[in-house]
Amino acid sequence: MHYLRVLYTAVIISLLSFSSGFANLYNGDDANNSLSGTVTDKASNSPLPGATVYLPDLHIGASANTQGQYELKNLPKGKYLVEVHYIGYAAFTEVIQIDGSTHKDFSLSETLLEKNEVVITGVNLATTLKKTPTPVSVVRKEYLDANISTNIVDAIAKLPGVSQLTTGPAISKPFIRGLGYNRVVVVGDGVRQEGQQWGDEHGIEIDDYNVSKVEVLKGPSSLVYGSDALAGVVNIVPPGAVAAGQVKGNVAANYLSNNGQVSYHADIAGTTKGGFSWSAFGTQKFAHDYKNKYDGYVFNSRFKNINYGGSLGLNKQWGSSILRFTSFNQELGLVEGDRNENGQFIKPINNNGQEDEAVATNDDFKSYSIGVPKQKITHNKLVWDNNLYLHNGGRLGLTLGYQWNRRKELGNVLEPDEPELFLKLNTFNYGLKYYLPEMNGWQTTIGVNGMQQKNNIGGEEYLIPAYDLFDAGVFAVTSKTFDKLTLSGGLRFDNRHMNIKGLQLNDEGVPVDNGGETKFSTFDRNFSNVSGSAGISYAASEQVTLKLNAARGFRAPNVSELAANGVHEGTIKYEYGNSDLKPEVSTQGDLGVEFNSQHISLTASVFYNHINNFIFARKLVSVAGTDSIPVADNEDGYSAFKYQQHTANLYGGEFMLDIHPHPIDWLHFENTVSYVRTAISGGTDSTKYLPNIPAARWISELKGNFKKVGGVMQNAYVGVQMDRTFAQNDIFYAYQTETATPGYTLLNAGIGTDFINRKSNKVLFSLHLAANNLTDVAYQNHLSRLKYAAVNEVTGRSGVYNMGRNFSVKVVVPIDFK
């Protein structure tokens, strides 16, 4: 292991030395490299004020003024992809050579269909969606504003192939094509998010307001991201720097009727003419218990967030350097679903120094104060992102990050501030890339990235042990476009070492150095793997694009799978790890087709994923054939689960059809179908399907988009949506590990518009009204952990149901001045 660390250290030092040696050869000269011009409507030649001109590889952009004029200064010399966006128009993308004062005008065509979306996830340089061989979904801030959500994963859960595992409205984990947990890498601020993501009740510690767009890459992505990107990547992109001499921002407020959720947000950013940039944001969010038709108000489903952050940066012709800080702070109740013989939710109380129970009242349900059991999460992140442009046309990118995650579970009503479970995770992320100069059209990147992690434990209960982790990988990726054909691929080698630290407890459950009962054993594990990917994208015509990709990825077992031994309160389980687990290895093929015409847009993709050593937990049984219920540290009598492995196969796909008949292009009839099916090799009738696989889903929406409404309104929309989730009967029902889930249909609707100043045509504010589950259907999603809460003795229904009818109003006020 030590020689591998020395090897990776030597690689980093060598590349840094290479950087230093070329520092005096940065790609700049005495000329003031800039890009300027106008953005206009192609048909009328009228200016498009507010249109954005953005260079993804430089993380810098500008907005057009009232005359449609834009200007970007302090740019390095070279070729860069430029994307131009304006609501209601097709995005324009073009590679432009920046050399001195460069002038470029853009003319956009009216359309309500996005054909030229730019992708930065999983590629070496920014490129268009059409040229990527892997399936990628992209949503922007406008989409997030128009849809009801309680967290960032909830906001993207309607994308094709994407679903969410939930534990109440505050906790959502992304699943991609049936795979989640550590099989999905979430990237925020340019580094992978690390915050105990192995747990069902551990959400994503990223503020859903501090987002410019989200990219979801489906399929093994270990090539660029290393272990854990077996299912794909969710890249949450923060707002970029604004143009020199500008100050921009937003103030937003949102209210949800079902759980009384109130959200406030403000952000502001500016850049001086010398290239110095800064930004700051803050968000406050709080909610009481949610309700549904069967359960009424669900006791202790409330939560509150206070998030904030900022950045300082410098953009010059030699490159850029930016330092970002974010702080995510959440306190949330843990729903246990306990009810009395009358079907009423009960709450723990302190009765004169004795733990007791009482019936939860309406005042409790409407309270914004968080009781026990609850979680407290603090996640601070500091990221330093640097780019140096070299005289030979190459570029060096260095990204360093440090994450400080603290997660407390508090459940003792007699000592509500004393954590029963306390997880303390510190992560250092690093990544160094060298973007080679373009050679005969080939764009190639080599690099090294990984992380060093230290996890300590505290509190009175123990679920996972303390551990140290070192992770590193070296990779090379390349791509080239031959007229209509784009080739891309690469190779990567990874190594991950884990040192699990043992723990002994005395009879009182207090840690001792020796002589106690072993809670966790000491052991080391080392995992290595070679990953690869190769794909093509072929533009058969202006209307048809064909895609094919094959990839091999891997995932090392996480600490819970290897060494857990304790009650996992949020999942209502007692979990046992398995120290003999092997890494998962995935081989996947993707085939896709895209068709765009004047009347119809169609996208279809299918996949087949073969996974060796797939890891999952199944319920244990006693010798009597009943649930195995460990006695120690298990006062609530939770059933025991243990991790095991089998060969697994997953297959399915996504189908999207958008009918937009010309000349009534404002009308859209959009349909999306997502389907995944699984099989365990050699499984019996009760063990032939993988657990936690989302049901098939069909989303159909009739929507009208109107760029010009008249008067003070523009960019209006109105739509109604049917969200049909089918029954999930293909389950791992051996040992009652999971239960089947009936299907359900939800009806949603939304309407919104921008209000403008008619003289300047600037947006004064945006208003979004929406409703989810209009018919107040009582349903349980198959991936809801609350589905497995206690049975209501009055109704006989198991678990807790999802949120009922919910209305939302959101107002966003932009800030823009020089």
Side-chain angles (χ1 to χ4, degrees):
M1 175 58 206
H2 293 295
Y3 77 88
L4 284 170
R5 295 191 186 187
V6 172
L7 172 63
Y8 287 118
T9 302
V11 171
I12 292 174
I13 293 175
S14 299
L15 286 173
L16 286 173
S17 300
F18 180 84
S19 169
S20 299
F22 275 84
N24 62 333
L25 296 177
Y26 70 86
N27 192 8
D29 48 36
D30 293 334
N32 181 20
N33 297 316
S34 63
L35 177 65
S36 62
T38 59
V39 184
T40 58
D41 182 297
K42 189 172 184 179
S44 65
N45 204 35
S46 58
L48 297 178
T52 59
V53 181
Y54 190 69
L55 282 68
D57 290 320
L58 302 182
H59 310 296
I60 190 171
S63 297
N65 60 20
T66 53
Q67 287 78 42
Q69 299 169 342
Y70 74 93
E71 184 176 22
L72 289 162
K73 297 181 179 179
N74 300 311
L75 302 179
K77 181 180 178 181
K79 288 183 179 180
Y80 304 102
L81 181 71
V82 178
E83 60 172 330
V84 186
H85 273 273
Y86 191 69
I87 296 177
Y89 288 74
F92 183 90
T93 58
E94 183 179 344
V95 176
I96 295 177
Q97 175 73 48
I98 306 295
D99 189 359
S101 297
T102 306
H103 186 88
K104 178 66 178 180
D105 294 331
F106 299 103
S107 297
L108 305 186
S109 300
E110 289 192 16
T111 181
L112 297 172
L113 189 68
E114 185 51 73
K115 303 177 182 179
N116 301 303
E117 187 63 75
V118 170
V119 175
I120 61 175
T121 304
V123 296
N124 54 346
L125 291 173
T127 186
T128 60
L129 193 59
K130 279 190 172 184
K131 293 184 178 181
T132 58
T134 52
V136 181
S137 296
V138 181
V139 294
R140 295 186 172 270
K141 187 176 180 297
E142 295 81 13
Y143 174 92
L144 303 178
D145 284 339
N147 287 270
I148 298 180
S149 63
T150 55
N151 57 72
I152 185 61
V153 176
D154 190 27
I156 62 172
K158 291 182 181 180
L159 295 179
V162 180
S163 50
Q164 59 178 329
L165 184 143
T166 62
T167 310
I171 303 173
S172 295
K173 301 182 70 66
F175 268 54
I176 298 176
R177 289 177 165 177
L179 299 176
Y181 300 101
N182 282 77
R183 300 180 183 93
V184 175
V185 166
V186 176
V187 177
D189 296 304
V191 299
R192 55 187 292 163
Q193 189 79 7
E194 291 292 323
Q196 312 284 1
Q197 61 265 33
W198 47 266
D200 284 349
E201 81 286 17
H202 301 169
I204 304 302
E205 307 89 350
I206 294 179
D207 186 83
D208 51 338
Y209 281 89
N210 188 43
V211 178
S212 64
K213 72 172 181 175
V214 182
E215 298 180 353
V216 180
L217 188 155
K218 288 164 275 189
S221 307
S222 299
L223 196 60
V224 176
Y225 301 98
S227 175
D228 301 350
L230 201 67
V233 178
V234 177
N235 186 13
I236 302 169
V237 183
V242 302
Q246 286 189 324
V247 174
K248 300 187 68 175
N250 296 277
V251 175
N254 185 207
Y255 175 75
L256 303 184
S257 65
N258 186 287
N259 61 348
Q261 179 178 319
V262 178
S263 304
Y264 302 107
H265 171 82
D267 63 77
I268 192 165
T271 302
T272 68
K273 292 185 178 180
F276 175 75
S277 63
W278 56 271
S279 70
F281 79 91
T283 302
Q284 184 179 26
K285 182 188 299 184
F286 47 92
H288 60 62
D289 295 338
Y290 79 87
K291 63 180 177 179
N292 61 62
K293 186 166 62 175
Y294 284 171
D295 299 308
Y297 282 100
V298 176
F299 177 68
N300 212 28
S301 58
R302 65 204 69 166
F303 64 92
K304 60 182 177 182
N305 290 30
I306 299 177
N307 309 326
Y308 55 89
S311 68
L312 295 173
L314 188 64
N315 284 280
K316 291 290 186 180
Q317 294 180 43
W318 51 261
S320 63
S321 179
I322 185 168
L323 186 69
R324 296 189 183 94
F325 172 77
T326 58
S327 182
F328 180 95
N329 305 274
Q330 185 179 64
E331 186 176 359
L332 66 155
L334 292 175
V335 178
E336 294 187 327
D338 293 333
R339 283 174 267 217
N340 61 17
E341 65 277 5
N342 298 318
Q344 298 169 301
F345 284 106
I346 57 176
K347 64 177 182 178
I349 61 171
N350 184 342
N351 187 3
N352 295 321
Q354 299 294 319
E355 186 173 350
D356 204 349
E357 294 178 348
V359 174
T361 66
N362 191 61
D363 288 340
D364 293 320
F365 297 138
K366 295 292 186 71
S367 173
Y368 289 92
S369 177
I370 314 296
V372 294
K374 65 181 177 181
Q375 276 195 82
K376 282 188 176 181
I377 301 106
T378 299
H379 191 101
N380 295 326
K381 181 167 59 177
L382 187 67
V383 178
W384 187 30
D385 192 10
N386 303 272
N387 284 282
L388 175 65
Y389 291 84
L390 308 177
H391 184 67
N392 64 353
R395 172 164 63 105
L396 279 172
L398 173 65
T399 303
L400 302 175
Y402 188 80
Q403 301 179 66
W404 188 88
N405 182 277
R406 298 294 182 266
R407 189 177 299 271
K408 297 179 181 180
E409 289 187 3
L410 306 104
N412 188 347
V413 71
L414 303 181
E415 297 178 308
D417 296 324
E418 292 298 318
E420 294 185 336
L421 185 69
F422 192 6
L423 304 177
K424 313 168 190 178
L425 179 66
N426 293 339
T427 304
F428 171 67
N429 304 89
Y430 63 90
L432 183 63
K433 296 180 181 180
Y434 176 46
Y435 304 83
L436 278 69
E438 184 178 308
M439 293 178 287
N440 296 321
W442 287 96
Q443 294 179 327
T444 304
T445 303
I446 59 174
V448 54
N449 59 13
M451 62 182 176
Q452 186 168 358
Q453 208 167 65
K454 187 177 186 66
N455 194 73
N456 289 319
I457 57 176
E460 299 176 354
E461 297 179 356
Y462 303 96
L463 171 60
I464 62 169
Y467 69 90
D468 293 332
L469 178 149
F470 180 79
D471 176 281
V474 291
F475 65 91
V477 291
T478 189
S479 65
K480 182 177 180 177
T481 298
F482 303 86
D483 191 21
K484 297 181 178 181
L485 179 69
T486 299
L487 302 178
S488 62
L491 289 171
R492 179 185 178 99
F493 173 75
D494 274 287
N495 177 263
R496 172 172 288 187
H497 178 79
M498 293 186 70
N499 169 237
I500 305 297
K501 299 181 180 181
L503 179 68
Q504 295 185 13
L505 304 175
N506 64 17
D507 293 339
E508 287 75 36
V510 178
V512 294
D513 291 334
N514 53 63
E517 181 182 355
T518 299
K519 180 70 173 178
F520 303 114
S521 299
T522 300
F523 63 92
D524 288 359
R525 290 299 307 271
N526 198 64
F527 307 99
S528 298
N529 192 73
V530 175
S531 304
S533 177
I536 62 173
S537 177
Y538 177 64
S541 67
E542 288 189 5
Q543 294 181 323
V544 179
T545 302
L546 305 175
K547 298 184 178 185
L548 178 65
N549 191 73
R552 170 189 163 98
F554 97 109
R555 183 183 75 88
N558 62 49
V559 64
S560 178
E561 294 165 338
L562 289 170
N565 181 15
V567 171
H568 200 170
E569 293 280 358
T571 63
I572 321 174
K573 299 176 183 176
Y574 192 103
E575 294 186 358
Y576 287 110
N578 183 348
S579 61
D580 295 325
L581 294 175
K582 300 176 182 179
E584 298 177 342
V585 178
S586 165
T587 304
Q588 178 165 318
D590 283 274
L591 178 64
V593 59
E594 296 178 3
F595 173 79
N596 288 291
S597 73
Q598 197 174 30
H599 305 289
I600 292 176
S601 297
L602 181 148
T603 301
S605 58
V606 294
F607 72 93
Y608 180 82
N609 192 1
H610 177 80
I611 304 178
N612 290 321
N613 304 316
F614 185 86
I615 302 169
F616 62 97
R618 63 102 164 165
K619 187 181 286 188
L620 300 179
V621 295
S622 67
V623 292
T626 58
D627 286 356
S628 174
I629 302 176
V631 176
D633 303 322
N634 191 14
E635 296 177 357
D636 294 310
Y638 292 157
S639 299
F641 286 71
K642 186 171 183 177
Y643 290 98
Q644 62 181 32
Q645 291 186 296
H646 283 285
T647 299
N649 299 291
L650 298 92
Y651 57 93
E654 299 84 42
F655 176 83
M656 290 156 283
L657 175 66
D658 184 356
I659 302 173
H660 43 91
H662 186 75
I664 51 174
D665 304 86
W666 54 267
L667 180 64
H668 282 248
F669 183 46
E670 301 174 359
N671 293 269
T672 301
V673 176
S674 302
Y675 177 79
V676 59
R677 190 174 175 87
T678 68
I680 296 177
S681 298
T684 64
D685 286 345
S686 62
T687 63
K688 64 180 178 180
Y689 301 114
L690 292 178
N692 293 325
I693 299 300
R697 191 178 189 184
W698 170 30
I699 299 177
S700 184
E701 183 174 19
L702 185 64
K703 189 173 184 179
N705 291 275
F706 312 93
K707 292 185 291 294
K708 298 177 181 178
V709 182
V712 296
M713 293 187 292
Q714 68 178 19
N715 299 322
Y717 65 89
V718 59
V720 60
Q721 180 186 83
M722 181 205 71
D723 186 349
R724 170 64 177 170
T725 297
F726 294 88
Q728 179 56 289
N729 298 313
D730 297 336
I731 61 171
F732 189 94
Y733 62 86
Y735 323 109
Q736 297 181 334
T737 296
E738 64 176 348
T739 58
T741 308
Y744 54 89
T745 301
L746 306 180
L747 185 65
N748 310 316
I751 185 171
T753 188
D754 293 337
F755 290 86
I756 63 170
N757 182 321
R758 297 182 64 180
K759 291 183 178 180
S760 63
N761 209 36
K762 283 188 175 183
V763 176
L764 298 175
F765 67 93
S766 301
L767 177 65
H768 305 275
L769 305 175
N772 278 0
N773 195 3
L774 273 168
T775 55
D776 201 25
V777 173
Y779 71 98
Q780 289 178 323
N781 186 280
H782 186 66
L783 296 187
S784 170
R785 301 309 306 165
L786 301 185
K787 177 174 177 272
Y788 298 99
V791 174
N792 184 333
E793 295 182 11
V794 174
T795 64
R797 299 187 183 103
S798 296
V800 173
Y801 283 70
N802 288 75
M803 189 178 289
R805 184 185 295 115
N806 195 11
F807 295 99
S808 169
V809 55
K810 180 183 289 186
V811 178
V812 182
V813 181
I815 302 170
D816 188 357
F817 60 89
K818 292 186 178 181

